[in-house]
Amino acid sequence: LRLVERSLLEADVSYSVVKEFMGHVSEKALGEKVLLALDPSQQVVGIVHDELINLLGPVDPSLHLRTETTVIMLCGLQGSGKTTTCAKLGVFLKSKGRRPLLVAGDMQRPAAVQQLKVLGKQNGIEVYAEDKGHTPQICKRGVAHARKENFDVVILDTAGRLHIDHAMMAEVREIAERIEPDMILLVCNAQTGQDAV
């Protein structure tokens, strides 16, 4: 149990979450009878697994798409995989009979727009992109283009940002206020830790 606790703390899981989680695991582990077929460490691993599932779920994985144009905005830290996720989500929706439009709204990272164009071309998904401009306006024009051209899902790829970067946080707020997306998805790397909060 100490090894599990140390692993969670080293993975930057919040101290209070680790303490509460380990309390649940300890309570269950001490209260269970050891099955003869398993050694005690295997049984503890099973309890840790079950408690992780309880902590992280249940989750509704569906997207709840509307009949008219649904707007999905992706946001997250730099390097968390937003642009790639944007394309993967587009491929998934296309396979379900939807007509997605990817909007290149990451004007911060060099070649981000080009990356999305390449991914869109590889997967047969149209990309709305502008070479320069203010991201909230680009996103707004992208959504207008989608509605005009009868795309039923718009996926906005935004720049990565840290919560301490006030200008970038203001920008993502402005995008959300101007566009009023139906969904905002936070794209996280499994190693993000407490920055995800």
Side-chain angles (χ1 to χ4, degrees):
L1 288 175
R2 271 195 297 275
L3 177 64
V4 171
E5 183 176 44
R6 189 175 26 207
S7 297
L8 290 169
L9 290 170
E10 287 173 358
D12 197 27
V13 175
S14 169
Y15 181 75
S16 60
V17 172
V18 171
K19 280 296 176 199
E20 185 178 336
F21 176 78
M22 292 311 299
H24 291 294
V25 171
S26 297
E27 190 178 305
K28 278 197 173 175
L30 294 173
E32 289 224 357
K33 292 183 178 156
V34 178
L35 299 174
L36 295 175
L38 300 173
D39 74 51
S41 63
Q42 285 177 320
Q43 198 157 353
V44 169
V45 168
I47 293 168
V48 168
H49 177 265
D50 292 344
E51 279 303 309
L52 281 172
I53 289 172
N54 287 338
L55 180 68
L56 298 173
V59 175
D60 177 6
S62 57
L63 289 173
H64 304 285
L65 302 175
R66 300 178 328 160
T67 50
E68 62 271 12
T69 306
T70 301
V71 180
I72 301 171
M73 182 171 106
L74 302 185
C75 58
L77 299 172
Q78 293 101 335
S80 59
K82 289 174 302 304
T83 302
T84 306
T85 300
C86 188
K88 287 179 179 180
L89 190 54
V91 168
F92 171 76
L93 291 168
K94 187 177 172 189
S95 75
K96 299 294 183 194
R98 293 293 190 145
R99 189 168 177 241
L101 174 70
L102 310 181
V103 176
D106 183 350
M107 306 309 285
Q108 300 294 317
R109 183 169 57 91
V113 173
Q114 186 60 34
Q115 179 188 359
L116 194 61
K117 285 180 181 178
V118 168
L119 290 169
K121 187 174 183 182
Q122 287 174 346
N123 294 293
I125 301 170
E126 192 172 325
V127 175
Y128 178 86
E130 297 179 14
D131 292 330
K132 57 186 175 202
H134 188 53
T135 300
Q137 293 165 345
I138 292 169
C139 291
K140 191 158 182 80
R141 288 191 290 267
V143 171
H145 172 78
R147 290 189 171 125
K148 181 180 166 206
E149 299 295 325
N150 296 317
F151 288 92
D152 54 7
V153 182
V154 181
I155 306 168
L156 306 174
D157 182 30
T158 66
R161 61 201 78 229
L162 292 169
H163 68 280
I164 57 172
D165 187 335
H166 299 294
M168 291 298 288
M169 292 304 288
E171 179 189 81
V172 80
R173 253 191 301 309
E174 185 181 346
I175 295 167
E177 287 168 4
R178 283 188 181 206
I179 308 298
E180 296 182 345
D182 299 292
M183 263 173 271
I184 299 175
L185 302 180
L186 176 65
V187 179
C188 289
N189 178 306
Q191 297 174 324
T192 298
Q194 295 183 63
D195 270 329
V197 177

